[in-house]
Amino acid sequence: MRILYLLFAVVFLLFQAAPGSADLGLFADTAQCRSEGNFCRAGSCPPTFTVSGSCHGGLLKCCSK
């Protein structure tokens, strides 16, 4: 039973996101989208927003007002 606590802690640490990790330059298009005040979205943009580019290497859409 103790192994479950240890396993949970390891899984929690593996999937914990580092703050600001999207702006580290891993994806230049994501950093550019966020610097312009826009946001990234997996599906289509909300009705009042338009697609202004891509994020995460072309996997997501950059939505702008």
Side-chain angles (χ1 to χ4, degrees), residues 39-57:
F39 61 95
C40 299
R41 188 158 179 163
S44 60
C45 295
T48 60
F49 292 86
T50 60
V51 177
S52 64
S54 64
C55 296
H56 291 314

Side-chain angles (χ1 to χ4, degrees), residues 5-64:
Y5 294 114
L6 181 62
L7 183 63
F8 176 72
V10 169
V11 169
F12 178 74
L13 289 174
L14 285 176
F15 291 110
Q16 184 178 9
S21 62
D23 297 330
L24 290 177
L26 296 175
F27 297 104
D29 54 353
T30 303
Q32 180 182 5
C33 178
R34 296 206 180 194
S35 70
E36 295 172 356
N38 303 330
F39 61 95
C40 299
R41 188 158 179 163
S44 60
C45 295
T48 60
F49 292 86
T50 60
V51 177
S52 64
S54 64
C55 296
H56 291 314
L59 296 175
L60 302 178
K61 297 174 184 160
C62 180
C63 300
S64 65

